[in-house]
Amino acid sequence: MTTDATGGELGNSGTGPPRGGEGSWRVAPDPGRPDGRTCGHLPDVRRPADPPGGGCEECAASGGAWARLRWCATCGHVGCCDSSRGRHAYAHHAASGHPVALSLDPEEKWGWCYADELFLIEDPRPRTGRGSSARD
């Protein structure tokens, strides 16, 4: 049985952590990379329904410190960012293969897809139904 970042059981279904609303995400423009890159994980990215408190699980266990926190969009693991000594969010991705981590800073509305090496941002436009356009 696996647990989420708060210690709650996820079961063996692999359903992951409780998800927030139907927020929309898109690949951010990046002048250092070719245009047109896509992320196949975007449809599955959601903010946590209840952002976890606390901090980096591994840093807390070892007495370390962290700069910023990242939330795994697949299972809810909370780890420290690449600017922190432990880089536990990346280590979690490397060990689990979970592709997307979101910033837990309330002022930051972005994520990173480790698998596709893409910066993701929340799209302020509401999600539209299949086949409809944002102009409708």
Side-chain angles (χ1 to χ4, degrees), residues 78-107:
V78 175
C80 58
C81 69
D82 285 356
S83 297
S84 302
R85 178 178 291 244
R87 299 183 64 219
H88 293 119
Y90 175 78
H92 173 72
H93 156 71
S96 68
H98 296 166
V100 176
L102 304 179
S103 173
L104 280 178
D105 186 311
E107 301 298 317

Side-chain angles (χ1 to χ4, degrees), residues 24-124:
S24 184
W25 291 80
R26 62 185 169 92
V27 174
D30 185 346
R33 298 181 189 265
D35 287 338
R37 295 187 65 198
T38 60
C39 175
H41 308 100
L42 287 178
D44 299 323
V45 177
R46 303 283 186 279
R47 284 230 168 257
D50 295 311
C56 174
E57 297 169 2
E58 291 86 356
C59 285
S62 68
W66 56 86
R68 303 265 188 184
L69 298 173
R70 307 293 179 243
W71 181 78
C72 175
T74 302
C75 72
H77 175 271
V78 175
C80 58
C81 69
D82 285 356
S83 297
S84 302
R85 178 178 291 244
R87 299 183 64 219
H88 293 119
Y90 175 78
H92 173 72
H93 156 71
S96 68
H98 296 166
V100 176
L102 304 179
S103 173
L104 280 178
D105 186 311
E107 301 298 317
E108 298 176 344
K109 305 293 185 197
W110 62 267
W112 177 257
C113 180
Y114 291 105
D116 296 320
E117 295 186 357
L118 291 169
F119 186 58
L120 310 174
I121 55 175
E122 276 188 294
D123 194 334

